Amino acid sequence: MQLFETRAELRAFLKEVRQRQQTVGLVPTMGALHEGHLSLMRTAAAENDNVVATIFVNPTQFGPNEDFSKYPRSLEEDARLAAAAGVTALFHPPLEEIYHTGNATWVEVVGGLTENLCGRTRPGHFRGVTTVVSRLFNIVQPDRAYFGQKDAQQVQVLKRMTEDLCFDIQIRVLPIIRESDGLALSSRNAYLSVDERQAALVLSRSLEQARHLIEAGERDTKTIVETVTAFIQQEPLAVIDYVELVHPDDLRPRERLEKAGLLALAVRIGQTRLIDNAMLEVATCS
Amino acid sequence: MQLFETRAELRAFLKEVRQRQQTVGLVPTMGALHEGHLSLMRTAAAENDNVVATIFVNPTQFGPNEDFSKYPRSLEEDARLAAAAGVTALFHPPLEEIYHTGNATWVEVVGGLTENLCGRTRPGHFRGVTTVVSRLFNIVQPDRAYFGQKDAQQVQVLKRMTEDLCFDIQIRVLPIIRESDGLALSSRNAYLSVDERQAALVLSRSLEQARHLIEAGERDTKTIVETVTAFIQQEPLAVIDYVELVHPDDLRPRERLEKAGLLALAVRIGQTRLIDNAMLEVATCS
């Protein structure tokens, strides 16, 4: 695996790759790699001749009171893990390689996709995500780009951006990776104390509650959301940011669950904001 | 020259071009081609193995009361002219190839570059320009893209976008092409009556006035702008949209002219809004 810090060096590497008619998979990350990221890298390695992983803690997707400065950074360990997962080029640019002086260009998906869920409580977050990912797409020009379903809304926003801006890139979405007790992997789990780590199980367990409800025949989304909300509120360390059950494509709420719905949560455990989600599918008679 | 109406067909053509390791120049236009466009195409043909020209009257860069619906369209004649100018692929997409249903993504340069000059009187115009050009860049992925200095502000905005979004594309800017009497070529000149055509000379002549002032030693930008304004106001058919003398890089006004300034005009002649500009350079002692 080669490590690159500048666009020029990475582009020289990619030019040779292209001349050999080889394919490129891109895995954009903010580092602090865990098994979720590594599953993306391993799949990218299986599906492409080369895997470019990026490690860049993107300031424009953090709000003014969010955790940009304390976000975990662990380049050496990340490099070791990425190499073992099949990454061939690790791109770790300094800030000015992505946002130089005088930078003034934003890429933004407007409307329903960015208004609900995290869009409500993290204004500007998705504008930061689309702005940085469009740059990474232009730098790497991959054949495929890999994202985790853990960030379900981000996935829908990036699919929309990719289609709208005519990027010739296939977006691949891989399942949430969980600890054995159900906690969805996140770099932010490192912030949790022992008690908070235990309390954080309320997220995945509340999603299980919703699954049971649907198996029992419940289709009214208000009832499902209220039940999940009440379940989470039983946990004293948890403060709900949102619980929403939306259509998986447009991320807008529906009164009744038809074929499938995305149940998405954001919950603060102490100072740490965690997200999780489940695709709730309604079994149909065959 | 081949004519393409879909992205898929154009991409298949470009894939073969790339496999032959050939270069591609892009000339984005809204059609109604004149000598200004053709000079871009000829230069692109001299500098690249292939030239893709696009003809797409982009609705998102027109305001609600502007001339989108009556903008001149002349595909057959355009195709003949483009082929003669060395274009190898003409891309003439229907609306839905660029803006499909559900489209929600904008690319925007914010700040000074888009606030002055046309940004003041055509809100949203440059957001439409950057949004469509970023799509064309992604579809064609050219080595070089060609624009005319006639649209001086557009050129600065697109250079900024290209640098900020890390497009690996060289922006080439070519001089304004004028009729023998000085009128800058524009597809909108076709709207002018005989009297208006004569009145429209006030734009280029006022730029000449400014040049004379600077040769005579004038450096105060307010005086230069006021003199140009008074000159244009002598023409009964002319209504000034703006006269501004700005720094050529950041497009912000300065009190005094230092090395160079961009004098930019927008003037309505009857119902037709025309623009013109001149780079005013101060001779320095050697």
Side-chain angles (χ1 to χ4, degrees):
Chain A
M1 187 183 78
Q2 295 183 62
L3 180 65
F4 300 100
E5 301 222 323
T6 69
R7 286 186 267 165
E9 291 165 336
L10 178 62
R11 278 204 167 120
F13 167 84
L14 288 166
K15 194 174 172 188
E16 286 184 21
V17 164
R18 294 294 177 198
Q19 281 172 352
R20 292 195 299 268
Q21 313 263 354
Q22 291 186 340
T23 56
V24 175
L26 171 66
V27 185
T29 82
M30 300 208 300
L33 301 182
H34 52 63
E35 197 57 32
H37 302 110
L38 301 177
S39 74
L40 302 179
M41 293 172 183
R42 286 188 207 106
T43 305
E47 296 179 350
N48 302 274
D49 301 315
N50 292 272
V51 179
V52 178
T54 65
I55 294 183
F56 180 68
V57 185
N58 172 38
T60 65
Q61 72 190 70
F62 288 81
N65 298 314
E66 293 181 0
D67 57 342
F68 172 67
S69 57
K70 73 164 183 171
Y71 196 86
R73 287 155 172 93
S74 52
L75 181 63
E76 269 187 45
E77 174 71 358
D78 286 350
R80 196 184 61 73
L81 293 168
V87 170
T88 48
L90 190 64
F91 183 45
H92 178 248
L95 184 67
E96 60 273 18
E97 281 289 306
I98 306 295
Y99 299 106
H100 52 76
T101 312
N103 160 67
T105 308
W106 292 95
V107 175
E108 184 166 19
V109 173
V110 300
L113 279 187
T114 53
E115 283 166 1
N116 295 333
L117 311 175
C118 291
R120 215 189 301 277
T121 49
R122 301 188 73 189
H125 169 67
F126 290 111
R127 189 172 80 142
V129 170
T130 45
T131 293
V132 76
V133 171
S134 60
R135 284 154 206 244
L136 296 175
F137 278 8
N138 281 338
I139 294 168
V140 179
Q141 301 193 320
D143 299 278
R144 299 173 194 84
Y146 296 79
F147 299 92
Q149 176 64 17
K150 163 89 173 341
D151 303 306
Q153 188 175 12
Q154 170 175 282
V155 161
Q156 291 303 320
V157 171
L158 289 175
K159 279 183 172 176
R160 168 58 58 199
M161 178 195 82
T162 302
E163 192 180 339
D164 288 356
L165 293 188
C166 309
F167 281 110
D168 192 15
I169 298 170
Q170 186 189 355
I171 302 296
R172 297 274 289 115
V173 182
L174 299 185
I176 299 174
I177 305 292
R178 299 182 180 281
E179 304 276 9
S180 57
D181 60 5
L183 181 68
L185 293 196
S186 164
S187 301
R188 290 190 170 98
N189 291 350
Y191 299 149
L192 300 171
S193 69
V194 173
D195 286 353
E196 288 170 346
R197 170 70 183 71
Q198 187 60 30
L201 291 176
V202 75
L203 282 87
S204 54
R205 286 177 180 164
S206 75
L207 298 174
E208 283 309 306
Q209 286 286 313
R211 280 218 174 81
H212 294 321
L213 271 179
I214 286 156
E215 279 165 23
E218 185 59 62
R219 296 293 178 268
D220 181 68
T221 58
K222 191 155 168 276
T223 304
I224 297 167
V225 167
E226 283 174 358
T227 307
V228 168
T229 300
F231 183 88
I232 297 172
Q233 283 170 338
Q234 289 175 350
E235 168 53 58
L237 294 181
V239 176
I240 291 173
D241 189 4
Y242 64 76
V243 175
E244 292 195 53
L245 179 49
V246 295
H247 191 282
D249 293 334
D250 64 18
L251 304 187
R252 289 188 188 275
R254 299 284 194 280
E255 277 189 28
R256 283 185 66 77
L257 191 64
E258 302 292 343
K259 284 181 197 161
L262 176 75
L263 178 58
L265 319 171
V267 178
R268 278 174 210 284
I269 305 291
Q271 298 297 308
T272 304
R273 182 179 179 280
L274 300 176
I275 59 174
D276 200 349
N277 69 81
M279 192 68 80
L280 302 178
E281 308 209 14
V282 175
T284 49
C285 301
S286 58
Chain B
M1 187 184 77
Q2 294 185 61
L3 180 65
F4 300 99
E5 301 223 322
T6 69
R7 286 185 267 165
E9 291 165 338
L10 179 62
R11 278 203 167 121
F13 167 84
L14 289 167
K15 195 175 172 186
E16 286 184 20
V17 164
R18 294 295 178 196
Q19 279 172 353
R20 292 195 299 268
Q21 313 264 354
Q22 291 185 339
T23 56
V24 175
L26 171 66
V27 185
T29 82
M30 300 209 300
L33 301 181
H34 53 62
E35 196 57 31
H37 303 109
L38 301 177
S39 74
L40 302 180
M41 293 172 183
R42 285 188 207 106
T43 306
E47 297 179 351
N48 302 273
D49 301 315
N50 291 271
V51 179
V52 177
T54 65
I55 294 182
F56 180 68
V57 185
N58 173 37
T60 65
Q61 72 190 69
F62 288 81
N65 298 315
E66 293 181 359
D67 57 342
F68 172 67
S69 57
K70 73 163 182 170
Y71 196 87
R73 287 154 172 94
S74 52
L75 181 62
E76 269 187 46
E77 173 70 357
D78 286 350
R80 197 184 60 72
L81 293 168
V87 170
T88 47
L90 190 64
F91 183 47
H92 177 249
L95 184 67
E96 61 272 19
E97 280 290 306
I98 305 295
Y99 299 107
H100 52 74
T101 312
N103 160 66
T105 308
W106 293 96
V107 175
E108 185 166 21
V109 173
V110 300
L113 280 186
T114 53
E115 282 166 2
N116 295 333
L117 310 174
C118 291
R120 217 190 300 277
T121 49
R122 301 188 74 188
H125 169 68
F126 290 111
R127 189 172 80 142
V129 170
T130 45
T131 293
V132 75
V133 172
S134 60
R135 283 154 207 245
L136 297 175
F137 279 5
N138 281 338
I139 294 168
V140 179
Q141 301 191 321
D143 299 279
R144 299 173 194 85
Y146 295 79
F147 300 93
Q149 177 62 17
K150 163 90 171 341
D151 302 307
Q153 188 174 14
Q154 171 175 280
V155 161
Q156 291 304 320
V157 171
L158 289 176
K159 279 184 172 177
R160 169 59 58 200
M161 178 195 82
T162 302
E163 192 181 340
D164 287 356
L165 293 188
C166 308
F167 281 110
D168 193 14
I169 298 169
Q170 186 190 353
I171 302 297
R172 297 274 289 116
V173 182
L174 298 185
I176 299 175
I177 306 292
R178 299 182 180 280
E179 304 277 10
S180 57
D181 60 5
L183 182 68
L185 294 195
S186 163
S187 302
R188 290 190 170 98
N189 291 349
Y191 299 150
L192 300 172
S193 70
V194 174
D195 287 352
E196 288 170 345
R197 169 70 182 74
Q198 186 61 30
L201 291 175
V202 76
L203 282 87
S204 55
R205 286 179 180 165
S206 74
L207 298 174
E208 283 309 308
Q209 286 287 313
R211 279 219 175 81
H212 294 322
L213 271 180
I214 286 157
E215 280 167 22
E218 185 59 62
R219 297 290 178 269
D220 181 67
T221 58
K222 191 157 170 274
T223 304
I224 298 167
V225 165
E226 283 174 357
T227 306
V228 168
T229 300
F231 183 89
I232 297 172
Q233 284 171 339
Q234 289 175 350
E235 168 53 58
L237 294 181
V239 177
I240 292 173
D241 189 3
Y242 64 78
V243 175
E244 292 194 53
L245 179 50
V246 295
H247 191 281
D249 293 333
D250 64 17
L251 304 186
R252 290 188 187 274
R254 298 283 194 281
E255 277 189 27
R256 283 186 66 77
L257 191 63
E258 302 293 343
K259 285 182 197 162
L262 176 76
L263 178 58
L265 318 172
V267 178
R268 276 173 211 285
I269 305 291
Q271 297 298 306
T272 304
R273 183 179 179 280
L274 299 176
I275 60 173
D276 200 348
N277 69 82
M279 191 69 78
L280 302 178
E281 308 210 13
V282 175
T284 48
C285 302
S286 57

